[in-house]
Amino acid sequence: MSAPVLVRPALAADLPAIAEVYDHQVRSGVATFDLEPQGTAYWEQRLAGLGPGDHLLVAEEDAVVLGYAAASAYRPRPAYARTREVSVHLADAARGRGVGSALYDDLLARLRGDGVHTVLAVVALPNPASRALHRRCGFEPAGVLREVGFKHGRWIDTELWQLVL
């Protein structure tokens, strides 16, 4: 029998699994607009550079990383200090199991504790599963940006989702 899903802060030992989840989306999906896999070094820099209001969490089951959640600065201007951009990425085997909700529940609680006021997420369209996840977690759609990314030979729209904590 499987152990329950555990959400916790990411450790250096988790970074290869995080990179694998992310780089899979780079190669095959549109959940990120990176065009080249980033590898573990990118995530080492992200983990080392976490500041107040920034988080990198993993969901694990039976010591296997199923996905991760990240919160980082929205923009570098001081007036945006209490706004964070967030994302959740899952391994294919974790989809449809509530792992994304578990990651967001933990992340949003941490952000509330940090005094963050507004949380933003960007969803590449179409993506009914991601839209449903954000709606379930309390986010509201804030607008669509048409044809802002070009990947896999096509233009992609994004939808901005917002949650005021």
Side-chain angles (χ1 to χ4, degrees), residues 68-163:
Y68 70 90
S72 57
Y74 168 61
R75 292 195 172 182
R77 306 280 191 267
Y80 292 116
R82 292 177 52 201
T83 299
R84 284 289 177 273
E85 184 172 346
V86 297
S87 62
V88 167
H89 293 272
L90 303 176
D92 288 341
R95 298 182 193 285
R97 298 180 44 208
V99 176
S101 293
L103 281 161
Y104 260 147
D105 289 348
D106 191 297
L107 180 62
L108 295 173
R110 290 172 189 269
L111 292 171
R112 282 182 184 94
D114 293 338
V116 169
H117 180 71
T118 302
V119 179
L120 302 172
V122 178
V123 175
L125 300 177
N127 192 334
S130 184
R131 294 176 90 211
L133 170 64
H134 287 90
R135 186 170 283 112
R136 191 168 44 253
C137 292
F139 289 77
E140 296 178 340
V144 174
L145 299 172
R146 305 276 179 218
E147 298 184 1
V148 294
F150 188 81
K151 189 172 179 183
H152 302 308
R154 65 183 176 95
W155 287 103
I156 301 162
D157 299 343
T158 61
E159 186 170 41
L160 186 64
W161 287 75
Q162 179 178 14
L163 173 62

